[in-house]
Amino acid sequence: MHAPKVGFVSLGCPKALVDSEQILTQLRAEGYTISPSYQDADLVVVNTCGFIDSAVAESLDAIGEALNENGKVIVTGCLGAKDGGNQIRDVHPSVLAVTGPHATQEVMAAVHEHLPKPHDPFIDLVPPQGVKLTPKHYAYLKISEGCNHRCSFCIIPSMRGDLDSRPIHEVLKEAENLVKAGVKELLVISQDTSAYGVDVKYKTGFHNGRPVKTRMTELVRELGDMGAWVRLHYVYPYPHVDEVIELMAAGKVLPYLDIPFQHASPTVLKAMKRPANAENVLKRLARWREVCPDIAIRSTFITGFPGETEADFQMLLDFLDEAQLDRVGCFTYSSVDGATANDLPNHVDPEVAEERKARFMEKQAAISAAKLQAKIGRKLTVLVDEIDEQGVVARSYADAPEIDGLVYIEETEGVRVGDFLEVEVTDADEYDLWAQRV
Ligand code: SF4
């Protein structure tokens, strides 16, 4: 029997990627096959991103391409939530259906309507960990949707709603299935990982017959016992994060924290409506380093936020000097349709924002280079991502996939993707390390 084929285009951030994985898993579970080309597919699902203008344009283009090449298109994702889906329907009136993000059931209902479910349950061969878009040795683990903050540059709460934590037993079961299927690294993601469980008042759930609270520390402790690397993204420096640093010092979870600070000037942070304060952050960082000296801190920042003066920017540079962060990303501010920051006075000239970003990155490059130089001679465990003609491409505890640095090793003999290797660092530049096996 011909199994109906669905094409899939996945755009956007890791949170959207997880939505795609859930839809793909459901499609496979119901007997649909996934088609790698438009021509072969009976219908195409496009998961969109609506965060910034360039992502909107990319999403609209992708929908247009799918319509031209295939003709039957269902749209989901963040762009679908804008203006009740009209932003998409205005440009592409022939799409079959539009849903917002995190809407597996609505997408499946639209698929059923336009491409009926196959009757033969024989084809139900979905692996228990679901269908993953990441390489087999690492996987994103989404623990919640939405966000209770209201940062003025962000429209995620208006697109995805308030914090909605996934039940702890569901998250832990998924993690367990992933590890059983060979995943060596779990990347915990959400909009605010430290807020996990606040919405359900840290309700107690059950995992393997044991009570476990829906709370960040308990979640991390359980994940840390599963035998894989556990990496935490999008954490805010709240006091209870101290408990997690202790788990890092005890070797239960990678000593790595991704904390989006965004700025250091109190005026800018206030205008951004960020839940943080630079002075407290520096104190907290110092304390964390006392407890766990190896901790790698990653962060992101914005230059050119409305109202940012040269003095504010200087404060940000001074903060970088003091904070000595390991990994840093920087964006220039750009208006997002629907964000309250658009109405703030004193927008910064985009050229000035660019120039500040360049100065910011130059300072951080020197900090990063010095930090990596200090690693020469150290022994590290690395996880192999890729093997090519030049050697092994791997990552250490300090490197998240896609966004951080890499560790290069020449000898490839007997090495497979997904292996852990013990290496000694022999060289370093601003972002990457070179090492040899020990
Ligand atoms: S914390 Fe702020 S930037 Fe992050 S999702 Fe929530 S509102 Fe947006």
Side-chain angles (χ1 to χ4, degrees):
M1 191 187 116
H2 164 72
K5 290 184 186 161
V6 179
F8 207 98
V9 179
S10 184
L11 304 169
C13 64
K15 277 134 323 206
L17 182 85
V18 173
D19 287 354
S20 294
E21 289 173 344
Q22 282 167 357
I23 298 166
L24 285 166
T25 300
Q26 191 61 34
L27 285 166
R28 286 284 309 279
E30 294 187 8
Y32 292 90
T33 55
I34 310 303
S35 164
S37 73
Y38 290 125
Q39 288 77 18
D40 256 9
D42 299 303
L43 171 156
V44 178
V45 177
V46 181
N47 188 3
T48 59
C49 174
F51 193 46
I52 52 173
D53 292 352
S54 59
V56 171
E58 189 192 2
S59 293
L60 290 172
D61 283 353
I63 298 165
E65 188 180 297
L67 282 170
N68 284 341
E69 300 283 332
N70 181 281
K72 290 175 87 175
V73 176
I74 291 170
V75 180
T76 180
C78 286
L79 184 57
K82 283 190 166 176
D83 196 14
N86 286 337
Q87 195 165 352
I88 293 169
R89 285 200 189 86
D90 286 349
V91 183
H92 297 300
S94 58
V95 293
L96 299 175
V98 179
T99 82
H102 203 51
T104 307
Q105 291 324 315
E106 283 102 309
V107 173
M108 290 311 297
V111 172
H112 296 155
E113 192 185 331
H114 298 282
L115 185 64
K117 255 202 233 192
H119 295 300
D120 191 345
F122 253 163
I123 13 188
D124 184 357
L125 294 172
V126 182
Q129 77 277 18
V131 176
K132 290 287 152 194
L133 297 171
T134 40
K136 204 170 151 230
H137 62 284
Y138 66 82
Y140 293 98
L141 185 66
K142 180 152 78 172
I143 60 168
S144 59
E145 255 309 328
C147 183
N148 285 347
H149 300 297
R150 292 293 180 264
C151 304
S152 57
F153 54 83
C154 179
I155 51 167
I156 283 176
S158 66
M159 289 197 293
R160 295 188 169 221
D162 282 341
L163 177 72
D164 181 9
S165 300
R166 287 180 66 198
I168 185 102
H169 70 271
E170 213 180 285
V171 175
L172 293 175
K173 189 78 212 155
E174 183 179 334
E176 218 169 59
N177 285 339
L178 288 165
V179 175
K180 272 193 210 143
V183 163
K184 304 285 180 56
E185 177 177 3
L186 296 165
L187 300 127
V188 176
I189 56 165
S190 66
Q191 310 297 346
D192 177 358
T193 295
S194 25
Y196 180 58
V198 167
D199 54 318
V200 293
K201 304 199 170 55
Y202 307 121
K203 183 176 166 185
T204 301
F206 287 86
H207 177 61
N208 293 338
R210 280 177 300 106
V212 188
K213 273 191 177 175
T214 312
R215 189 166 171 271
M216 185 195 191
T217 310
E218 282 77 358
L219 168 77
V220 172
R221 191 177 294 131
E222 292 290 328
L223 293 175
D225 282 338
M226 289 187 186
W229 273 5
V230 177
R231 191 181 295 284
L232 304 177
H233 288 282
Y234 315 119
V235 173
Y236 285 83
Y238 298 126
H240 70 273
V241 176
D242 293 0
E243 299 166 8
V244 173
I245 308 298
E246 279 166 28
L247 296 176
M248 292 180 178
K252 285 253 186 194
V253 24
L254 292 180
Y256 176 101
L257 268 189
D258 175 4
I259 313 182
F261 293 126
Q262 310 299 10
H263 214 284
S265 145
T267 327
V268 177
L269 285 170
K270 196 163 169 235
M272 287 177 164
K273 300 217 174 99
R274 294 292 291 172
N277 149 327
E279 233 168 84
N280 290 345
V281 162
L282 287 172
K283 279 193 205 133
R284 190 148 270 136
L285 285 180
R287 222 177 26 247
W288 288 350
R289 286 182 173 130
E290 264 168 40
V291 179
C292 182
D294 271 347
I295 191 166
I297 310 275
R298 178 192 168 76
S299 191
T300 46
F301 295 87
I302 298 173
T303 61
F305 190 78
E308 183 193 62
T309 61
E310 182 55 31
D312 291 318
F313 177 65
Q314 198 52 52
M315 258 183 232
L316 177 55
L317 292 182
D318 293 346
F319 173 83
L320 265 196
D321 267 334
E322 281 221 41
Q324 293 287 306
L325 305 176
D326 298 81
R327 305 290 186 187
V328 160
C330 184
F331 302 92
T332 52
Y333 173 78
S334 75
S335 306
V336 175
D337 228 5
T340 53
N342 301 350
D343 303 329
L344 289 172
N346 305 322
H347 276 241
V348 175
D349 182 335
E351 268 181 37
V352 173
E354 280 296 342
E355 179 253 346
R356 286 180 185 162
K357 176 180 162 186
R359 282 160 63 200
F360 177 97
M361 287 314 285
E362 198 185 316
K363 178 168 277 295
Q364 179 58 28
I367 294 171
S368 171
K371 289 209 132 200
L372 293 185
Q373 277 293 319
K375 291 195 175 175
I376 295 178
R378 267 190 64 180
K379 294 201 172 60
L380 292 175
T381 304
V382 296
L383 178 58
V384 176
D385 271 348
E386 227 182 288
I387 300 160
D388 61 24
E389 322 74 68
Q390 272 146 49
V392 173
V393 183
R395 288 178 293 107
S396 74
Y397 76 93
D399 317 304
E402 313 278 343
I403 48 177
D404 293 330
L406 296 166
V407 182
Y408 297 102
I409 305 138
E410 249 176 51
E411 314 106 275
T412 57
E413 212 184 301
V415 181
R416 285 166 313 168
V417 169
D419 281 354
F420 285 112
L421 300 179
E422 298 305 317
V423 300
E424 182 176 325
V425 180
T426 54
D427 204 358
D429 68 7
E430 285 164 357
Y431 302 108
D432 300 319
L433 295 174
W434 282 259
Q436 62 193 27
R437 292 175 69 184
V438 289

